[in-house]
Amino acid sequence: MTQPTLILVHGAFATSFSFAPLQAELAFHAVRSAAVDLPGHGFAATFPLGYQAPQDLAQFTSEPGSIRGVTVDDNVRALTEAAARAKEHGPVVIVAHSRGGATLTALANAHPELIDHMVYVSAWAPVDLPAAEYNAEPEMKTVDNAALARALAGDPGQLGLLRCNFRQADLEVLDGLKALFCADVSDDEFRIFLNSLQPDENLDAGGPEHRAQAGTWGTIPRTFVRLGEDRSVPTAMQDRLIREGDALTPDNPYRVRTLASSHVGWLIHPAEAAVQLAQIAADVAAESDR
């Protein structure tokens, strides 16, 4: 049986490091995986000295960041290279989380031949609107972004990027972030996760040209993994994205799975997610060998 490679694509402010617990579980299921860092992420990120303790907020909020000017197209070029390398060794399954879905969608439009299966884990798969515009839609009205807004540092217009102070000790902000992203984990697990994030994210979430296209994106088999306890991308929005994708290509609908997880809880406790992804990998392998 031909072994597929799962390429794991992180969301906003995250890195490939976020997938370490999941990759360990996948290895125990004999599933090959590769977590990638999009441009300006991981060891290519900027961590201003003022972000350390004690913090120098003036320095932190003014230091230039390496992710300034990075675009969705830059992300696509990097993911194209990773997918092409993996494709040399068999089928490719790309698993995208959260904002990473916008990059996966744009890649699928540009190079559908590199992808054997797409998996969106509560991820943005824009069809009717550009990705960022979904935030103003009715399905997002229950999302309380106050804590995330209070974590923002510096002027995005001047910095040319989004910068967050995830190392602050304001309990109101911390409690709000935990409630938004991972209410289903312990306080220590939440703080460990928070300290794994990088402070900077790029401004470009994609435009109308990066929406899913029926003739390219729509030709690739795809799965949507719903996160049933997600408060940052509510299930109503996840279900809308599924409906829009299915309406675009009714002959190739999403295969839908659900995890009882918050937005990032499945990365902290990845056992069930690994089982689900291993099943998808086995299905792709079987289809490839037919």
Side-chain angles (χ1 to χ4, degrees):
M1 184 174 289
T2 306
Q3 173 77 8
T5 300
L6 271 60
I7 297 179
L8 309 176
V9 185
H10 59 77
F13 299 101
T15 71
S16 62
F17 311 159
S18 306
F19 293 113
L22 175 63
Q23 288 191 279
E25 287 292 331
L26 288 172
F28 295 142
H29 290 279
V31 175
R32 184 168 61 203
S33 66
V36 298
D37 282 307
L38 297 177
H41 290 262
F43 285 110
T46 297
F47 271 69
L49 183 60
Y51 192 41
Q52 301 299 116
Q55 289 192 321
D56 181 340
L57 293 180
Q59 196 274 346
F60 173 56
T61 57
S62 61
E63 178 79 9
S66 61
I67 207 168
R68 179 188 177 105
V70 170
T71 66
V72 168
D73 290 333
D74 294 325
N75 290 346
V76 169
R77 281 189 283 272
L79 193 53
T80 298
E81 180 180 354
R85 292 179 65 186
K87 190 71 172 175
E88 295 176 6
H89 306 288
V92 172
V93 178
I94 301 187
V95 181
H97 178 224
S98 194
R99 202 184 199 220
T103 294
L104 170 54
T105 302
L107 171 65
N109 285 337
H111 295 289
E113 74 281 359
L114 294 178
I115 310 171
D116 294 275
H117 198 96
M118 301 182 290
V119 181
Y120 289 84
V121 184
S122 192
W124 294 106
V127 177
D128 290 352
L129 300 172
E133 292 186 16
Y134 284 99
N135 287 301
E137 293 296 287
E139 292 85 355
M140 297 294 284
K141 67 182 179 182
T142 62
V143 178
D144 182 3
N145 280 316
L148 187 59
R150 289 182 60 186
L152 285 173
D155 181 349
Q158 291 184 343
L159 289 170
L161 50 82
L162 295 172
R163 176 164 290 167
C164 279
N165 185 0
F166 294 120
R167 291 180 175 170
Q168 61 182 283
D170 185 323
L171 290 179
E172 188 174 346
V173 172
L174 294 177
D175 288 345
L177 290 173
K178 184 175 187 289
L180 183 62
F181 293 113
C182 49
D184 53 347
V185 306
S186 72
D187 288 346
D188 280 325
E189 288 169 332
F190 160 68
R191 287 190 291 268
I192 292 167
F193 159 73
L194 202 62
N195 278 279
S196 76
L197 298 179
Q198 62 182 55
D200 292 351
E201 185 53 71
N202 69 307
L203 292 174
D204 183 21
E209 70 277 16
H210 297 114
R211 294 178 296 163
Q213 303 298 313
T216 48
W217 177 91
T219 65
I220 305 168
R222 61 185 186 266
T223 295
F224 200 105
V225 179
R226 298 168 72 255
L227 299 180
E229 299 174 16
D230 196 336
R231 295 179 183 174
S232 63
V233 184
T235 52
M237 177 53 76
Q238 297 177 57
D239 291 341
R240 173 175 168 173
L241 295 170
I242 293 168
R243 288 195 305 271
E244 289 183 1
D246 290 352
L248 182 67
T249 56
D251 293 333
N252 181 29
Y254 278 105
R255 306 169 191 182
V256 180
R257 296 169 178 259
T258 300
L259 291 174
S261 173
S262 63
H263 195 64
V264 300
W266 68 287
L267 294 171
I268 297 169
H269 297 287
E272 179 56 30
V275 169
Q276 300 270 10
L277 292 173
Q279 291 172 348
I280 293 171
D283 290 344
V284 171
E287 291 168 7
S288 177
D289 288 338
R290 285 177 189 154

